[in-house]
Amino acid sequence: MKYFSILSCLTDKKSLCLLRILNYFVSLPKILRFVRKMKKILFAFWALISVMACGDKSKAPYNKEQPVQQNEPGDSTRYGLACDGCTDSILLLLPFDGGDPDTFDIISAYQNRKIYGRPRIGDELAVILNPEDKEEALMIINIERLKGQWCYQVMPTFRNIEKMPQKMQRRMMAQIPDSVKQRLLVPCEYGIQLKRGHLAQTIGSYRNRHSDSMSPVEYPKVRRYAGWKLFNGRLVLETDTARLIQTDQAHKPEYDTADIVSLRRDTLVLRFKDHEQTYYRKKDS
């Protein structure tokens, strides 16, 4: 450190400048050693974070209590979510029972108009497979599109008018003023709401029994439902047993099965065993 004692005797500007230069070269090795230590510390910290973040991927966390949808006995439908990559000829389905996404050929279903509701990413789907070719889908039902409030309009009829001869019916209707017809023949909205969790609710308010018996018109009876499900591509509606308790019927629930004829954004057509019903979707559903 002799140069410090020498430079301390110098007071001119050149000496001070030289002193700053020498001090820089003296402290530079210390700075380099400090930087090397910081690099080692940062590298060790980064390695620790990487190990904690990655861990053992073969032991991915899984909740054993997480419910997995299982098919009922006899139901061969595949349930899952639509994945990215679905086209008019290919369907990518992430099954609810676990595993990697499955790829299905849907050309036949598309040509036969058996795709009820165009699949979108994340939509819950029900897929009916070809029993001879498990890679071909014969029917696709978009469950997300199926849920909602589906309604139709019903008109009342004059009480016991069906017991009259046709000629008397026409004569009676001709004698009733139009203003009375407009006041009595008011359409009513019936329908069904398909909710999440396979819950169902019938749309159509209950009327007072006394006022109904005194009214000259009557509305069709409403079939009350409490649940719904899909079974091999068919819609199964379960009756409301709580309503049946109030009647003389047995408490055992009954089931109505319908085939899906058409499912669009605002239209649903169901074919029951004795009739075909067209519904419209309520705007607020």
Side-chain angles (χ1 to χ4, degrees), residues 23-244:
N23 284 335
Y24 171 77
F25 284 105
V26 171
S27 58
L28 181 60
K30 296 181 180 179
I31 295 174
L32 293 176
R33 287 194 298 269
F34 177 76
V35 171
R36 293 191 188 98
K37 291 181 179 180
M38 288 302 299
K39 284 184 176 180
K40 293 180 180 179
I41 294 174
L42 291 176
F43 179 79
F45 180 75
W46 175 83
L48 179 62
I49 294 297
S50 300
V51 171
M52 293 175 62
C54 298
D56 187 1
K57 293 186 178 180
S58 62
K59 298 181 180 179
Y62 176 74
N63 185 9
K64 295 183 179 180
E65 298 181 357
Q66 182 178 0
V68 178
Q69 178 169 338
Q70 296 180 355
N71 292 26
E72 293 187 5
D75 185 14
S76 59
T77 310
R78 294 294 301 275
Y79 299 96
L81 301 177
C83 300
D84 186 15
C86 297
T87 64
D88 292 338
S89 58
I90 295 177
L91 172 67
L92 269 68
L93 183 74
L94 181 63
F96 286 147
D97 54 4
D100 297 329
D102 296 324
T103 303
F104 300 108
D105 178 8
I106 61 173
I107 296 179
S108 297
Y110 183 82
Q111 294 176 346
N112 297 328
R113 298 183 179 181
K114 293 295 183 178
I115 299 179
Y116 303 111
R118 186 179 182 87
R120 296 177 300 181
I121 300 176
D123 285 350
E124 183 179 355
L125 305 179
V127 181
I128 304 297
L129 301 180
N130 186 347
E132 299 179 357
D133 185 2
K134 296 300 182 180
E135 295 183 355
E136 181 183 21
L138 300 180
M139 179 190 299
I140 300 172
I141 301 175
N142 193 326
I143 300 178
E144 294 297 330
R145 293 284 185 90
L146 186 60
K147 298 173 184 176
Q149 297 183 15
W150 299 100
C151 302
Y152 61 95
Q153 296 285 332
V154 296
M155 292 293 295
T157 57
F158 285 95
R159 192 176 299 275
N160 298 325
I161 192 174
E162 70 278 357
K163 298 180 181 180
M164 301 180 183
Q166 293 291 333
K167 186 176 181 180
M168 186 176 295
Q169 292 182 20
R170 291 192 296 267
R171 184 181 302 175
M172 187 190 73
M173 294 298 296
Q175 292 177 354
I176 299 177
D178 293 339
S179 58
V180 177
K181 292 180 182 178
Q182 293 178 359
R183 186 169 64 252
L184 294 177
L185 301 179
V186 179
C188 182
E189 189 176 62
Y190 283 8
I192 184 172
Q193 181 179 6
L194 304 179
K195 304 179 181 180
R196 295 185 180 275
H198 299 284
L199 300 177
Q201 181 179 354
T202 299
I203 300 174
S205 61
Y206 286 98
R207 299 176 179 271
N208 185 276
R209 294 183 179 181
H210 178 71
S211 61
D212 278 354
S213 62
M214 299 298 293
S215 174
V217 298
E218 58 182 356
Y219 289 85
K221 294 182 179 180
V222 182
R223 185 77 160 168
R224 297 287 167 179
Y225 298 109
W228 70 277
K229 64 181 179 180
L230 290 175
F231 191 85
N232 288 330
R234 307 186 71 189
L235 178 63
V236 180
L237 302 173
E238 180 183 351
T239 56
D240 190 352
T241 55
R243 300 294 180 183
L244 293 176

